[in-house]
Amino acid sequence: MDPECSQLLPALCAVLADPRQPMADDTCLEKLLDWFKTITEAGSSLLLLQENPCLVELLCHMLKPQDLSSRVLSFSLRLTGVFAAQEDCFQYLQQGELLPRLFGEAGPLGGAAWTAPTVRSGWIQGLRSLARHPSALHFLADCGAVDTIFSLQGDSSLFVASAAGQLLVHILGLSMQGPADGPPSLQAGDWPACAQKIVDHIEESLRSAATPQITQALNVLTTTFGHCHDPWTRVLWVRLSPLVAGLLEKDPVPAAHSLVDLLLSVARPQALRAQAFAVLLQPLACVLKATTQAPGASGMVDGTAGDSVTVDTLLPSKAACVGLLCRTLAHLELLLPLPQRPCPWPQASLLGAAVTLLQLCQGSASPTSDAGRHLCALLLGCVRVQRAALDFLGTLSQGTGPPELVTEVFAVLLEYLRSPDSSPTVLKKAFQATFRWLLSSPKTPGCWDLDPQALLFLRELLPVLQKRLCSPCWEVRDSGLEFLTQMTGRWGGQASFRHALLASEVPKLTEQLLRDPESYVRASAVAATGQLSSQGLCVSPASPEHLGGQQKSPLSELLHILSTDSEGFPRRAAMHVFTQWLRDSHADVVGDTEEFVAGVLQVASQDLDWEVRAQGLELALVFLEQTLGQPGSPCPYAVTPPVVAPARPLAQALQPLCRVRLFEFAFRALFDCDRPVAQKSCDLLLFLRAKTASSSSPQEARISPDVASVEAALQRWQAGDQAQPLGDLEPEVVLAVLRSMDLEGLRGALAESSDHVEKSPQSLLQDMLATVGILGENEADCY
Amino acid sequence: MKLYCLSGHPTLPCNVLKFKSTTIMLDCGLDMTSTLNFLPLPLVQSPRLSNLPGWSLKDGNAFLDKELKECSGHVFVDSVPEFCLPETELIDLSTVDVILISNYHCMMALPYITEHTGFTGTVYATEPTMQIGRLLMEELVNFIERVPKAQSASLWKNKDIQRLLPSPLKDAVEVSTWRRCYTMQEVNSALSKIQLVGYSQKIELFGAVQVTPLSSGYALGSSNWIIQSHYEKVSYVSGSSLLTTHPQPMDQASLKNSDVLILTGLTQIPTANPDGMVGEFCSNLALTVRNGGNVLVPCYPSGVIYDLLECLYQYIDSAGLSNIPFYFISPVANSSLEFSQIFAEWLCHNKQTKVYLPEPPFPHAELIQTNKLKHYPSLHGDFSSDFRQPCVVFTGHPSLRFGDVVHFMELWGKSSLNTVIFTEPDFSYLEALAPYQPLAMKCIYCPIDTRLNFIQVSKLLKEVQPLHVVCPEQYTQPPPAQSHRMDLMIDCQPPAMSYRRAEVLALPFKRRYEKIEIMPELADALVPMEIKPGISLATVSAVLHTKDNKHVLQPPPRPAQPTGGKKRKRASDDIPDCKVLKPLLSGSIPVEQFVQTLEKHGFSDIKVEDTAKGHIVLLQEAETLIQIEEDSTHIICDNDEMLRVRLRDLVLKFLQKF
């Protein structure tokens, strides 16, 4: 700790200990704690306490009966934990009986302060910090803390309850680290006392009839197995699995979702996996059964799924039904990509269930039983389930399915895309799922084109997309355009796709949406136009019957947007498109690349949006790389190979950069008021300097009057006066200026966050004292 | 209390409620779907329609070929279109005291009722209902009268012949009651019988019941009605909406505590959400126009069109349609657009506040001002010189059987660039299109029906909790095409009572109380006696005077001096005797104590039997039986008056007298 802080600390401790000086802002306490954590991580806590006795005084002060604020008390408990994490410091605090008095029965635990959740939370976090060494374990056992933690698992505050569970996991792990000679046996006597106590408690909870207790135990186990894979956890599982298996046999299964979480986190229990999976699948089996006539046709779960009684138990009310189905779908979605997912994976049944679920929500399913009709009434028009089911359906596209089911998938997706009742968010998910299914549709070997079925689907899809692009709801137009961009990016080069798209109104509508009143839509239209134009799919200009009369090229359309659009999003999108076009050597750009780059940079440099300026630097970098002959990310599909000119003299190579005024743009950006722009420019110039360093020649290094005037201008720029332009720059001058600039220093300065001064601990302490008026600034006014 | 159901159409109801000596007609809707069986009336001579082949029976008999024409496999009556009237035989309509109108769509049969049945009562409706109703009737009359048709077909209606016809003519119901349209004179006469009312205004009917219109949120001036007496309340809910459109929101709270709630006029397309449909409407409109096609919107001149114009007002700029002309063609277009702007007090809050700015409440004023929306009484005249394509045309009639729409169907039907978008839910669009087949133009069905759907009904019923619900039978089961959709029916407890055309329902509640006033001087003379804490009784001797359904207790006249020589004496002349009144008794007889008292008075051999209603005390020796029940006591003893009187006095000891 630096001396300035040491000096301020006693006053601060006095403020904290004084109940009459309420600490208004508790984020200060958090920052203070963070600071102490940093100090103790770097050095000895014991030394810190010895050098700053005020700290121990503060902690001792907490033991006196008084009206301390619960925040300060909580802070002190946590601070004690931070100090006691080091064993020598722990011993030091033990000697003063400070620890048992703070964390034992005599402390806040027995007092009125305990009613405040923040104090209970502080108590738990303090223990969590100090429980790092064997001495701490003895302490925990002696002061009876473990029993208190057990009871806190059911605390009314969710934060406290959750922290208590995690603390148990931590203590269990710590106590099992002790015995070094391999994992313990199954015998109870073999386990360290503390661990034994916790495991006994878990066993007892698992046998309990009360679901909350079972849930608590399951959560502790889930966290344990999720975080730790030491050999002892395997023994623990062997010991507890009969109890867990017992839970699975109950009907209904208690705390089903916590149980599933546990079984998912334990990759080992092969035997139970199928059973656990069945529990997870039960709601979907009900759904599937709702519309199938033949018993057992579900292929998922036999038995009672789909009976009225089961449906009533599992899915009694709309809220319960929706909640359970959404959780189930989310679980399955997470499970799907995992290597330990159950095998065989019932892909077909899950597909069927997802399709049925979507149909039930839409009212297009035909339920075959009363339970089915009940489900239908509950789910009709439910947006949450629709969204979850569409996400899930999209994820299922990674696997295959029987062809007739895949046909059904496309049919239900089309139904959603067509339905006037699909909400904008549902529609967006439907577009996403559709794209994923199109991606996964079977491909003819050696050909990237869409298969006949997908193509047939596409022909039906395009009129729908067309209509969606005319929707009065901007979110719908927006997601329609995003979908189009994705589709074009993927299949834009394929003949059948091109044919279908060009036969539709979609390209024309996209062009019209560049003038949409909603800026997000314009931005998406810019991206879509960029993609369409890259693939040569834009509408042919100036068709005589076109309403708007003459039509501009996509390039001039986007340039117009970049220079005139009042919103940032479309302009950013235009810059992204331009950068991509330059990278891909787009036909419109290749014609006169220099004019293109010069034009774009000029507009971008005046943009008020820093992201546009930053993107301008990205474009400048691409041009720079292409000019200097080292493409950063070579594009294998580029029509023309990047210009490679290693043999040219450097000055000549830099000429194009000067002609497009790239340096003026970069230097201006270097002193940009927005840090990311300045950083990016700095990186670009450093990159350029590195490139040119090797090939520098003596005559370029001379100091000319030009250089001096440029440097003078730059100094004025840095001071904030950017009115004067740099004028035409010669490559030699640029190189000289670059070499003379302290770019590394600038980069260092930019890397420091703007509030680095205000974030210092000294400033924090001063602020805290200032708020309670200790620093005396205001004292003179008091008379 | 009885309900006579004169119409089977759930959204065009016509019911008669008999309640407390009043006869109240609830709405008089006109079922116009019958016109779908007729050929369209072209405004301009249509060679296609006039050259349709006549229809002949399977055996080649062509005696009907003048009346019936065939078009694309469908058979149509070639005659002036006719409408299906409400039932007129079920109840003598001249006895109807009042007609309550809930909205302008539900009054189209009014001239048939008021002008041809001997009706002498009053019609109650709000001002917008009356004014817009007048516009609808005027348009209808105009559409039909301006295309005079010499021919009138009636042969096909013969029951024996109708059996031989193809569907749907064969299955058309009540064809004998179908009538031609009324005249403007009849309309004016009918409307002159309307008395205007405001929301929440209380209207006394003969002192017997009070009727009150409440805002129903569906259309300008649309109402639900409360019909109540002092102890009974009937709510009539017809065509209500909970969506935020242009009218004042629905008043739900006043419907609470109803004994009976008659529920009609729910949405006709429960599966179509109006918001989605409006989106669909806009998208399809934009797509067509951008492709250079025209859009035809068959519609009524008032109602949803206001909302559509408002949506388009917000949409056309964003969709790049600013240069596309919108035409609204109707004989009443101008009045409709202007009326909508002046009924501020009947509009939703948002629109009301605009009036104070002052701004026109509906943005179609701006559309007209900027020449984006133009309106014409007919396609003849100015319209033909202004007409520019591509364009959007709003015009009637939604049945596609008469009105300017017929011309546009003929004009645009052949090109697949054009689109007809159906927004009115009253007619099946496929049936409406049948006489125009084969058709190249695109057809989009976006029915916009803002009336209550079943989810909203279920919430409403939970909220207002009526004791009984009465509704058309169509609402008590899912639609036939979607029999699994149990959500598409009314679900309430006790189950709703359903009615169908020509049925009479006895409504399931008994009237138990009547309010009687006591004149002050009579009230002053009463001497209440407290029989239990908080409950006092007094005997009243008075004359019950009933006039105009009001009951008043007046002091009895002083005993008339005997005049002698009375010749006639009828029961009704009897003035209650003011001679000594027998005291009234109250209280109950505790059996055990009674038996003890009997024993004390020398009776022995007493036996007590318990019965369902009380006890029987048997005096075996005296062969006497005392039957004690909650509200009566009988002493049965043979020929021993002395004994009876003794026993009676013993019984009386246990009772209070006053």
Side-chain angles (χ1 to χ4, degrees):
Chain A
M1 189 184 295
D2 51 39
E4 290 87 352
C5 293
S6 276
Q7 253 176 354
L8 291 167
L9 208 51
L12 184 72
C13 287
V15 168
L16 290 175
D18 185 353
R20 291 165 305 163
Q21 303 274 13
M23 198 47 67
D25 177 12
D26 60 354
T27 56
C28 290
L29 293 176
E30 293 296 326
K31 286 182 192 163
L32 201 60
L33 200 66
D34 284 345
W35 176 52
F36 278 116
K37 271 185 202 158
T38 337
I39 298 176
T40 52
E41 273 161 19
S44 159
S45 304
L46 185 57
L47 211 59
L48 180 71
L49 291 190
Q50 283 166 345
E51 283 171 359
N52 298 285
C54 62
L55 287 171
V56 177
E57 279 163 27
L58 172 70
L59 299 181
C60 289
H61 191 77
M62 295 299 131
L63 301 169
K64 295 178 191 158
Q66 57 195 318
D67 279 344
L68 271 175
S69 99
S70 51
R71 283 190 216 153
V72 175
L73 186 52
S74 172
F75 164 79
S76 307
L77 287 166
R78 291 163 66 190
L79 187 63
T80 314
V82 170
F83 293 144
Q86 294 178 8
E87 202 158 3
D88 55 350
C89 190
F90 175 86
Q91 308 290 4
Y92 174 74
L93 292 170
Q94 269 288 58
Q95 286 163 14
E97 284 293 299
L98 194 66
L99 286 178
R101 287 164 69 198
L102 269 175
F103 289 99
E105 295 287 340
L109 182 50
W114 194 247
T115 51
T118 165
V119 173
R120 301 200 294 276
S121 172
W123 185 85
I124 293 177
Q125 290 181 43
L127 286 183
R128 175 83 167 75
S129 303
L130 71 78
R132 295 198 186 273
H133 36 75
S135 315
L137 273 181
H138 292 301
F139 168 69
L140 288 173
D142 293 347
C143 75
V146 177
D147 287 315
T148 310
I149 303 169
F150 288 157
S151 68
L152 285 176
Q153 277 185 290
D155 198 273
S156 57
S157 156
L158 283 179
F159 292 106
V160 173
S162 154
Q166 294 191 1
L167 179 56
L168 277 185
V169 174
H170 178 76
I171 297 173
L172 181 62
L174 180 70
S175 58
M176 291 310 292
Q177 274 169 11
D181 317 326
S185 74
L186 278 176
Q187 299 302 316
D190 257 14
W191 293 58
C194 196
Q196 182 59 40
K197 187 169 183 165
I198 294 173
V199 173
D200 283 348
H201 173 72
I202 293 173
E203 282 180 334
E204 196 184 316
S205 300
L206 288 176
R207 285 196 198 98
S208 157
T211 307
Q213 291 198 12
I214 300 176
T215 311
Q216 286 164 16
L218 291 174
N219 289 346
V220 167
L221 289 177
T222 306
T223 321
T224 307
F225 293 119
H227 288 83
C228 178
H229 295 95
D230 290 349
W232 65 267
T233 56
R234 228 168 285 156
V235 181
L236 179 65
W237 177 252
V238 173
R239 192 172 154 185
L240 293 177
S241 58
L243 281 173
V244 174
L247 290 178
L248 283 169
E249 276 153 23
K250 288 189 186 171
D251 188 24
V253 176
H257 275 277
S258 299
L259 192 53
V260 169
D261 285 337
L262 169 64
L263 294 166
L264 289 175
S265 81
V266 190
R268 294 175 285 278
Q270 280 294 351
L272 281 180
R273 197 183 286 166
Q275 228 175 328
F277 194 48
V279 174
L280 185 59
L281 289 181
Q282 220 166 16
L284 289 185
C286 286
V287 167
L288 207 51
K289 270 262 185 92
T291 52
T292 41
Q293 255 142 2
S298 76
M300 257 191 213
V301 188
D302 297 328
T304 56
D307 292 353
S308 284
V309 184
T310 317
V311 172
D312 282 348
T313 325
L314 274 176
L315 313 166
S317 65
K318 178 158 182 157
C321 175
V322 169
L324 184 60
L325 284 171
C326 289
R327 285 186 70 179
T328 302
L329 292 171
H331 269 311
L332 286 170
E333 216 179 311
L334 289 175
L335 198 54
L336 185 63
L338 294 182
Q340 69 265 34
R341 74 176 193 195
C343 185
W345 178 257
Q347 170 81 1
S349 305
L350 290 176
L351 257 187
V355 169
T356 308
L357 202 52
L358 286 168
Q359 287 170 337
L360 284 170
C361 293
Q362 187 81 348
S364 60
S366 314
T368 49
S369 60
D370 281 346
R373 278 181 279 276
H374 172 68
L375 259 183
C376 184
L378 288 182
L379 292 177
L380 218 97
C382 178
V383 173
R384 259 184 78 197
V385 174
Q386 289 179 349
R387 284 197 302 239
L390 282 167
D391 271 345
F392 181 57
L393 189 67
T395 315
L396 284 178
S397 69
Q398 292 161 14
T400 51
E404 64 278 7
L405 251 178
V406 175
T407 312
E408 268 193 62
V409 168
F410 279 116
V412 84
L413 285 172
L414 203 60
E415 193 185 327
Y416 268 75
L417 293 174
R418 268 196 192 134
S419 166
D421 292 337
S422 295
S423 79
T425 49
V426 168
L427 207 61
K428 191 180 171 88
K429 302 263 181 203
F431 273 130
Q432 285 166 350
T434 304
F435 181 66
R436 294 177 78 173
W437 272 95
L438 280 173
L439 269 182
S440 78
S441 68
K443 294 162 195 79
T444 323
C447 173
W448 286 100
D449 216 345
L450 287 160
D451 79 310
Q453 192 195 0
L455 206 60
L456 217 63
F457 173 73
L458 186 70
R459 293 222 175 88
E460 293 198 66
L461 178 68
L462 284 171
V464 179
L465 180 61
Q466 224 162 270
K467 198 173 72 189
R468 292 302 184 188
L469 292 181
C470 293
S471 168
C473 174
W474 70 263
E475 292 94 335
V476 172
R477 301 198 294 272
D478 194 50
S479 38
L481 285 168
E482 282 174 4
F483 176 67
L484 173 67
T485 312
Q486 281 183 314
M487 295 271 289
T488 313
R490 181 63 185 71
W491 291 287
Q494 307 311 317
S496 47
F497 176 85
R498 299 175 65 86
H499 187 75
L501 191 71
L502 285 172
S504 76
E505 297 292 318
V506 170
K508 199 162 95 185
L509 289 171
T510 309
E511 192 265 333
Q512 286 170 0
L513 287 173
L514 288 173
R515 291 174 290 280
D516 198 277
E518 184 59 48
S519 64
Y520 294 111
V521 179
R522 289 200 300 278
S524 297
V526 165
T529 303
Q531 194 61 257
L532 286 172
S533 171
S534 292
Q535 308 280 4
L537 283 166
C538 271
V539 267
S540 57
S543 49
E545 75 279 2
H546 192 266
L547 289 171
Q550 97 196 56
Q551 208 174 1
K552 293 188 269 178
S553 73
L555 175 60
S556 52
E557 284 269 15
L558 299 200
L559 263 177
H560 181 71
I561 286 178
L562 180 66
S563 44
T564 59
D565 203 299
S566 57
E567 299 279 338
F569 301 107
R571 302 201 305 268
R572 290 180 204 169
M575 284 306 294
H576 276 283
V577 168
F578 288 147
T579 313
Q580 197 55 42
W581 279 0
L582 183 64
R583 225 174 244 145
D584 299 351
S585 308
H586 184 281
D588 287 0
V589 173
V590 169
D592 192 343
T593 312
E594 282 186 23
E595 190 193 327
F596 166 76
V597 173
V600 172
L601 289 186
Q602 198 205 342
V603 180
S605 69
Q606 284 153 13
D607 204 292
L608 294 176
D609 188 319
W610 70 264
E611 283 196 41
V612 172
R613 300 195 299 274
Q615 189 60 37
L617 287 161
E618 187 68 36
L619 180 125
L621 185 65
V622 172
F623 183 65
L624 193 144
E625 285 167 346
Q626 287 182 355
T627 312
L628 297 185
Q630 276 209 358
S633 50
C635 171
Y637 308 114
V639 182
T640 46
V643 187
V644 182
R648 277 186 300 168
L650 189 59
Q652 198 186 336
L654 291 182
Q655 274 298 346
L657 303 182
C658 291
R659 284 198 294 273
V660 303
R661 294 186 170 271
L662 186 143
F663 294 111
E664 176 152 356
F665 179 73
F667 283 134
R668 216 177 265 280
L670 195 60
F671 305 120
D672 200 288
C673 52
D674 286 296
R675 207 152 53 93
V677 179
Q679 274 177 319
K680 211 165 174 123
S681 172
C682 197
D683 289 345
L684 179 127
L685 292 174
L686 278 166
F687 170 77
L688 181 67
R689 196 166 73 179
K691 295 279 323 162
T692 53
S694 52
S695 54
S696 64
S697 52
Q699 74 269 23
E700 285 161 359
R702 70 180 195 279
I703 303 291
S704 71
D706 285 354
V707 175
S709 80
V710 169
E711 280 173 348
L714 287 180
Q715 270 164 15
R716 281 196 297 280
W717 281 15
Q718 189 163 21
D721 172 21
Q722 298 206 357
Q724 190 197 344
L726 289 184
D728 289 333
L729 292 176
E730 288 302 319
E732 294 80 6
V733 177
V734 171
L735 288 174
V737 170
L738 269 183
R739 276 187 210 106
S740 70
M741 283 177 96
D742 179 19
L743 288 172
E744 285 84 358
L746 196 58
R747 182 157 73 171
L750 288 168
E752 285 208 315
S753 70
S754 55
D755 61 347
H756 69 275
V757 178
E758 287 73 18
K759 266 170 76 179
S760 73
Q762 189 187 346
S763 155
L764 173 68
L765 299 182
Q766 280 167 343
D767 283 351
M768 290 177 78
L769 289 172
T771 50
V772 287
I774 294 296
L775 286 187
E777 284 163 30
N778 301 326
E779 274 172 355
D781 295 335
C782 303
Y783 56 94
Chain B
M1 184 157 67
K2 285 195 167 154
L3 188 71
Y4 296 75
C5 310
L6 311 186
S7 157
H9 197 301
T11 30
L12 297 167
C14 183
N15 297 314
V16 173
L17 179 73
K18 283 209 170 208
F19 176 43
K20 276 196 78 173
S21 75
T22 58
T23 306
I24 302 172
M25 179 180 273
L26 305 169
D27 280 330
C28 49
L30 182 64
D31 186 351
M32 292 198 244
T33 50
S34 56
T35 60
L36 294 173
N37 295 294
F38 293 78
L39 271 188
L41 296 179
L43 207 54
V44 181
Q45 171 72 17
S46 158
R48 186 186 71 89
L49 285 174
S50 44
N51 292 333
L52 287 176
W55 180 81
S56 49
L57 291 168
K58 275 190 193 131
D59 59 10
N61 193 333
F63 73 103
L64 280 168
D65 68 346
K66 287 273 181 303
E67 290 198 355
L68 303 180
K69 303 284 179 194
E70 198 168 346
C71 174
S72 300
H74 288 83
V75 176
F76 298 95
V77 182
D78 186 10
S79 167
V80 184
E82 294 178 342
F83 307 115
C84 179
L85 269 52
E87 207 64 42
T88 49
E89 306 297 322
L90 195 64
I91 183 171
D92 179 1
L93 293 177
S94 69
T95 63
V96 171
D97 298 311
V98 294
I99 303 179
L100 307 181
I101 304 293
S102 53
N103 61 68
Y104 46 77
H105 285 298
C106 291
M107 61 183 282
M108 297 299 278
L110 200 59
Y112 295 114
I113 307 289
T114 58
E115 306 310 299
H116 299 285
T117 61
F119 172 80
T120 54
T122 312
V123 183
Y124 290 101
T126 62
E127 189 180 2
T129 302
M130 199 269 269
Q131 297 291 8
I132 298 175
R134 177 195 295 279
L135 296 183
L136 292 183
M137 290 179 180
E138 204 178 309
E139 187 191 59
L140 189 66
V141 173
N142 188 302
F143 280 163
I144 292 187
E145 284 185 352
R146 73 182 170 181
V147 192
K149 192 138 185 156
Q151 189 184 351
S152 174
S154 56
L155 209 53
W156 71 277
K157 290 187 185 173
N158 184 311
K159 277 211 167 80
D160 294 327
I161 296 174
Q162 198 195 350
R163 275 191 294 121
L164 307 172
L165 304 180
S167 283
L169 278 178
K170 184 173 68 177
D171 310 316
V173 289
E174 315 279 342
V175 290
S176 58
T177 67
W178 290 12
R179 292 286 175 272
R180 288 173 159 221
C181 189
Y182 31 73
T183 63
M184 212 47 221
Q185 196 185 0
E186 287 168 325
V187 170
N188 287 331
S189 170
L191 296 180
S192 70
K193 299 184 172 70
I194 293 184
Q195 189 168 327
L196 298 180
V197 291
Y199 288 148
S200 303
Q201 183 182 335
K202 294 182 167 57
I203 304 136
E204 287 278 337
L205 299 186
F206 318 113
V209 298
Q210 200 180 52
V211 296
T212 313
L214 305 172
S215 173
S216 78
Y218 166 56
L220 274 178
S222 68
S223 337
N224 292 321
W225 290 86
I226 303 284
I227 302 143
Q228 60 189 338
S229 65
H230 293 294
Y231 297 101
E232 297 94 10
K233 178 170 173 181
V234 178
S235 297
Y236 174 59
V237 172
S238 164
S240 302
S241 176
L242 291 170
L243 301 182
T244 318
T245 55
H246 59 270
Q248 237 188 61
M250 177 179 177
D251 177 357
Q252 296 183 67
S254 307
L255 299 172
K256 280 188 183 167
N257 304 321
S258 304
D259 297 286
V260 172
L261 187 137
I262 303 170
L263 183 61
T264 65
L266 305 186
T267 174
Q268 300 187 71
I269 322 284
T271 50
N273 163 18
D275 283 339
M277 286 298 143
V278 169
E280 200 73 357
F281 172 80
C282 290
S283 313
N284 281 299
L285 184 142
L287 255 185
T288 305
V289 175
R290 281 176 175 175
N291 273 338
N294 301 293
V295 176
L296 178 61
V297 188
C299 62
Y300 293 116
S302 178
V304 173
I305 185 170
Y306 303 140
D307 297 317
L308 286 181
L309 288 175
E310 184 154 357
C311 287
L312 287 172
Y313 168 78
Q314 290 158 3
Y315 177 64
I316 48 178
D317 286 333
S318 74
L321 301 178
S322 320
N323 299 320
I324 302 296
F326 287 74
Y327 301 120
F328 175 22
I329 304 172
S330 160
V332 297
N334 187 32
S335 320
S336 166
L337 292 174
E338 285 182 1
F339 269 141
S340 63
Q341 306 283 24
I342 59 166
F343 289 129
E345 60 170 301
W346 307 90
L347 292 173
C348 62
H349 179 72
N350 263 353
K351 295 216 178 311
Q352 274 191 25
T353 47
K354 282 197 171 184
V355 180
Y356 298 105
L357 290 178
E359 268 176 29
F362 285 93
H364 56 237
E366 198 183 318
L367 289 176
I368 295 170
Q369 218 170 26
T370 53
N371 261 336
K372 286 177 183 161
L373 173 68
K374 296 181 179 185
H375 54 88
Y376 306 88
S378 139
L379 52 86
H380 297 300
D382 288 348
F383 174 72
S384 42
S385 51
D386 293 353
F387 182 45
R388 209 152 49 76
Q389 304 189 71
C391 64
V392 180
V393 170
F394 294 87
T395 188
H397 185 270
S399 65
L400 304 192
R401 291 304 178 271
F402 35 82
D404 302 90
V405 75
V406 176
H407 175 73
F408 287 99
M409 284 304 297
E410 293 284 331
L411 183 72
W412 290 343
K414 294 170 214 80
S415 166
S416 62
L417 280 180
N418 302 325
T419 306
V420 52
I421 308 183
F422 291 88
T423 56
E424 301 287 356
D426 287 355
F427 300 91
S428 145
Y429 78 107
L430 288 174
E431 284 182 48
L433 289 170
Y436 299 94
Q437 300 293 356
L439 203 62
M441 88 194 285
K442 282 195 283 286
C443 304
I444 305 288
Y445 185 52
C446 307
I448 298 170
D449 196 333
T450 57
R451 286 171 282 201
L452 298 177
N453 63 31
F454 289 99
I455 298 170
Q456 292 164 335
V457 164
S458 135
K459 276 190 193 148
L460 175 74
L461 292 181
K462 264 186 206 140
E463 176 84 23
V464 305
Q465 302 223 326
L467 288 183
H468 300 281
V469 175
V470 180
C471 66
E473 63 173 345
Q474 288 93 331
Y475 296 161
T476 56
Q477 61 224 12
Q482 289 153 303
S483 54
H484 69 280
R485 293 287 297 267
M486 305 304 282
D487 57 314
L488 301 184
M489 58 181 274
I490 292 180
D491 180 23
C492 63
Q493 278 309 324
M497 293 183 69
S498 68
Y499 67 80
R500 61 172 74 177
R501 188 180 168 108
E503 223 173 41
V504 182
L505 288 191
L507 295 185
F509 80 91
K510 284 193 188 119
R511 297 188 41 224
R512 298 179 60 188
Y513 297 105
E514 193 67 76
K515 188 174 174 178
I516 300 178
E517 277 179 27
I518 301 183
M519 297 290 282
E521 56 267 40
L522 180 65
D524 278 348
L526 296 183
V527 186
M529 200 175 96
E530 191 166 53
I531 56 156
K532 272 191 217 176
I535 297 181
S536 295
L537 288 180
T539 54
V540 184
S541 302
V543 175
L544 178 65
H545 184 89
T546 296
K547 188 184 174 189
D548 286 349
N549 293 301
K550 293 233 188 304
H551 312 289
V552 182
L553 283 179
Q554 296 177 341
R558 299 222 173 86
Q561 294 301 317
T563 46
K566 251 197 210 169
K567 282 182 185 169
R568 289 181 302 138
K569 180 155 183 170
R570 282 191 314 199
S572 59
D573 289 339
D574 256 349
I575 290 161
D577 270 337
C578 295
K579 55 189 169 186
V580 188
L581 289 163
K582 283 187 183 172
L584 295 171
L585 302 173
S586 70
S588 59
I589 302 168
V591 179
E592 276 178 29
Q593 289 176 30
F594 180 60
V595 170
Q596 283 168 11
T597 311
L598 287 174
E599 283 171 342
K600 232 184 260 174
H601 285 78
F603 295 97
S604 56
D605 202 9
I606 302 167
K607 222 175 136 188
V608 179
E609 279 177 25
D610 289 349
T611 65
K613 292 180 176 173
H615 308 277
I616 294 177
V617 180
L618 269 171
L619 307 177
Q620 288 177 330
E621 205 173 302
E623 288 184 11
T624 295
L625 195 146
I626 305 167
Q627 198 179 332
I628 303 173
E629 291 179 357
E630 194 187 348
D631 51 0
S632 66
T633 306
H634 295 278
I635 300 166
I636 302 164
C637 64
D638 283 342
N639 299 324
D640 191 343
E641 181 61 10
M642 287 288 285
L643 176 64
R644 190 192 70 79
V645 172
R646 265 182 73 202
L647 288 173
R648 182 200 66 186
D649 291 343
L650 288 178
V651 168
L652 286 178
K653 278 189 177 174
F654 287 92
L655 298 174
Q656 286 174 292
K657 304 176 194 67
F658 59 93

